[in-house]
Amino acid sequence: MIVFILVSTSISIAVIDRLLYPLWKKLTARTLTPLQRIGVGHVATVLSMVVSALVELKRLKMVNAHHLQNQTNSSIVVPMSVLWLVPQLVIAGIGEAFHFPGNVAFYYQEFPPLLKSTSTALVALLISIAFYLSTAVVGIVRRVTLWLPDNINYGRMDNVYWVLSLVGVLNFGCYLVCAWLYKYQDVEDLVDDDDDDDDDGFRSYE
């Protein structure tokens, strides 16, 4: 199912770069800043969690409707197509199409020239941290709640998605504050390659 995210991200990047950005610039005479692109990615991520919660809620209702909650049967089959997962995966892919290129553009634009190559590696670092955090969240949920038993037909995975949606909203609110306070700077103009350079190759700047 992960292929739907990859395909959605690839198609979305092409559509965004070739259609959406030029159209936005033509209508507003402005371009989307990297921070605005990241913000759109945040919104799409939260929306994908909301859709995930709604789909899981529908699945649980179908389990109850067909009287499939039988504790003596550990391999209950729910009469629901796996394609119900596609919308949330597509939305997540669209979010990545905004989020990750926006991050790369932001780091590459704002970091000093000597750190530009290093800055692009931060995206991969953020992804790896996110995987570790997601594992930790799942572990905490399994310890303090009954939402994630071995058989999800007896659990409430929809509640997990709702919690993640709430965390995403709070994270987006924090991001908005940080993005609003942030002042773009052209660090290339502050680079000094003459004899008065600092030890680390560029002078300090605000």
Side-chain angles (χ1 to χ4, degrees), residues 116-177:
K116 286 189 182 297
S117 297
T118 303
S119 67
T120 56
L122 288 178
V123 175
L125 177 63
L126 291 175
I127 295 174
S128 63
I129 292 175
F131 276 114
Y132 279 110
L133 288 178
S134 63
T135 302
V137 168
V138 171
I140 293 173
V141 169
R142 297 197 69 168
R143 284 177 178 269
V144 302
T145 71
L146 299 176
W147 294 345
L148 293 175
D150 292 335
N151 191 327
I152 62 173
N153 290 326
Y154 305 140
R156 291 301 304 270
M157 187 176 288
D158 58 317
N159 288 342
V160 179
Y161 286 128
W162 287 124
V163 170
L164 293 176
S165 300
L166 177 60
V167 172
V169 170
L170 295 176
N171 182 49
F172 180 59
C174 179
Y175 173 80
L176 287 178
V177 174

Side-chain angles (χ1 to χ4, degrees), residues 44-69:
T45 300
V46 174
L47 182 59
S48 70
M49 290 295 99
V50 172
V51 174
S52 298
L54 295 175
V55 171
E56 176 61 16
L57 186 60
K58 177 178 177 60
R59 192 192 68 82
L60 289 175
K61 288 181 177 179
M62 292 186 68
V63 169
N64 293 328
H66 289 79
H67 305 288
L68 295 177
Q69 285 187 321

